[in-house]
Amino acid sequence: MNDKLNQTVTAIKGIGEETAQILAEMNILTVNDLFEHFPYRYEDYRLRDLADAKHEERVTVEGKVHSEPSLVYYGRKKSRLTIRLLVGRYLIQVIFFNQPYLKNKISINNTITVTGKWDQHRQSITANSIQFGPYSKNKEFEPVYAVKGNLTVKGLRRLINLAFSQFGEDIHETLPVSLLKKYKLMNRRDALRAIHFPFTSEDIKQARRRFVYEEFLYFQIKMQALRKFERENSNGVAQKYDLEKVKQFISSLPFSLTTAQKRVTNEILFDMKSQFRMNRLLQGDVGSGKTAVATIALFASVTAGYQGALMVPTEILAEQHAESITSLLEPFGIRCELLTSAIKGKRRREILQQLQAGEIDILIGTHALIQDEVHFHQLGLVITDEQHRFGVEQRRVLREKGENPDVLFMTATPIPRTLAITAFGEMDVSVINEMPAGRKTIETYWAKHEMLDRILAFMEKELSKGRQAYVICPLIEESDKLDVQNAIDVYNQLEAYFHGRYKVGLMHGRLHSEEKEAVMKAFSVNEIQILVSTTVVEVGVNVPNATVMVIYDAERFGLAQLHQLRGRVGRGSEQSYCILLADPKTEVGKERMRIMTETNDGFVLSEKDLELRGPGDFFGKKQSGIPEFKVADMVHDYRALEAARNDAAKLIQSKEFWELPEYASLRDHLYRSGALSGEKLD
C-alpha cells in the first residue's frame, strides 16, 4: 500500500489532535482507515411517485406550495408548521416540527422538494428535510456512517472529502489487472469515490461489488496460503494400505454404500495415501452413514501398519461406537478397545500398556484419549466426531499423540457451504449428501399448545406399540423472563398423565455426567419410555426404538438445532414423527416452523437458517471462527465468495503469484496478516 495513505489522520489538513482522538476510538488511525470507513446504508433522495409509496415509508417529492404556511406553537419552544403541497395530481399536507423560521422562507407557488415519512391515511408527509427550488439530481443518495463522540455523520463526510482532495491521487490499485478485467471491476480510486459520494444506485452497486470481491479475495488468499504451507510443512505419513483387503472389508458390510459414501471414502483414502497430512472435514446429515466411512478409514490405516483413534463427546456415544465398530472389525482380526473416564484401575492400566505396545489397533473413547498417560505405538489416523464439541486445543493434543497422523473431523451439523468454505477454509471438505436406501422420512408436524391432549393421545398410541418418545424443553426451571414450558414442569405433568402405564425420565444440563449417563442408559434399554430433556440429547444418542420427538416452544430454537433434535428419532425401521409445539409471534418464527415441516434435508435447512439468522449466530458467539467483513455478506454474496476462493486457490499454487509485480499488493497483504510467518492471524 502507498506509504502516504499509511500516515496518521493528522496528515489531513483540517484534522487536529482532538478529532484524531475521536477517530482513533472508531479504529480510524490512518488516511487509508478513513477511506475504508464505509457507509452502512444510504439515505435515498430519489423522487417518488406517491401512487407507489407505502404507508410510513420515507419519500422525497417535488411540488408547488398551495397554501400560506400555518404556524402553531405548543408546549415550551415547540412548534408545528403546516403547508399544502401540490405533488402531481395529489394535494397533500406537509408538516415541519420545531422549524418556525421556515414560515418566512416558504411562499405560495414556490417549487420545493421535501423528504419525510408518508402517512397514507392522512395524505401527509412529516418532513425532516427541505430543498428550495426544483429537485436537484446531485444528491440522490447520501451515505450514513457509524460515528462516535460529538462527530456527526455530516462532519465525517466533510473529513472524507478533505482526505480525497489531499490524497485522492495517491490511491493505487491493489488487485491484479487480470482479475479487474475478468470481473469488470471498478478500479480502487473510483470505487472509493463512488462508495462515499455516489450519484446513482449503479455507483453504489459497482463500488460494493468491487469491495466485496476484494475482502473475500484477501481472506481466501490467507486461508489458501495457510493450507498450502500446512500441507507442505506437515510431512504426513503416506499410508500404504492394502486396497484388496479394504475392498474385501467393504463388501463384507451388512449394507451397500451409497454413491455419496463411496465418493467421500475415495477422497479420504486418497488423502491417507499421499505424503501430506490429511486435514479433512466430513459433513453428513444425521443417519447418512459417517460412522461406516470412518470405520473403513480406520480399517485401511490398520492394514497400513498404523493405529487409529476415534474421539467422541459422550461416554454413551463412545460405547455405542465401540460396540458397532468392534462387531464389524473383529472378524478381520482387528482389536478395538474403549477408553472413557469410567474405565479405571487394573483394566485401565492394561489398556494403556497394550496400546503403547501396539497390541490394540483402534482406540475409541471420549476426551480420556487425550490424557497425558495415553501413549500410542504408532498412531496413523485420528477421527474426531462432532468436532465442534471439542476445543481447538483438545483436537491438537490428540493429533500430537502421533507423528503427524492424518486427521478427519466429522460433524452431523450440516454447515452451509458458504460457511464451510470460509470458517473451514484451510480444510478439505467432504459431504455425504445422500441418505441410505430404505430409511423412512420423519413426518414433521407443527401444532399449537391447545392441541396438547391430541398429541399425548398420539404418544400413548405409539408407546402402546412398544415404542419410546423424547420430549424436549428449552429451560430447566421456571423463569419470569420467558414464558416457556420448562423441563421440570413438563416432567411432572407427564408423570401424572402416564402414571402407572409408562415410566418418565428427566435429563438436563445441571445433572452430573454420571447421572446423565444413567438416565440415558435406562432410556436406551427401554427401562424409561418417555425422556423429558433439555437439548443435551442433541448430539449422538442412538435409540432406534424411539419414534416420537415432541419439542415444546419450538420457535425458540434455530433450524439447525431443531433438525439435530429431530434426528434423534427415525433411526430404526419404524415410521417416526416429530411434533413442533409452537405459537410463534414473529414472521421469522412462523417461517422456521413452515420450513421444518417441508424439508428433511439438513443442508437446505442450514442455508435457510443462515439466511434467517446470519453467520454470527449460526455457530453461536463462542465459535466465532467467522471473520468480520466490512462490506461483504457471506450469505448474500456467496457467489463472490466461491469465485474468490477458486481464484485464491489457483493464485497460491501458481509460480507467477510469488514472482510477478502484478501480485505484489496481494503478497504484501499475506505478509502483513502473518499467514506466511506462522504468526497468529489478525
Side-chain angles (χ1 to χ4, degrees), residues 426-443:
E426 81 286 8
M427 286 187 196
D428 294 299
V429 179
S430 288
V431 179
I432 304 180
N433 53 0
E434 179 187 1
M435 293 303 259
R439 275 191 75 112
K440 290 186 175 143
T441 302
I442 301 163
E443 290 181 17

Side-chain angles (χ1 to χ4, degrees), residues 51-64:
D52 304 328
K54 292 184 178 71
H55 180 57
E56 296 204 325
E57 203 177 355
R58 195 176 165 284
V59 296
T60 298
V61 296
E62 177 197 76
K64 196 169 266 192

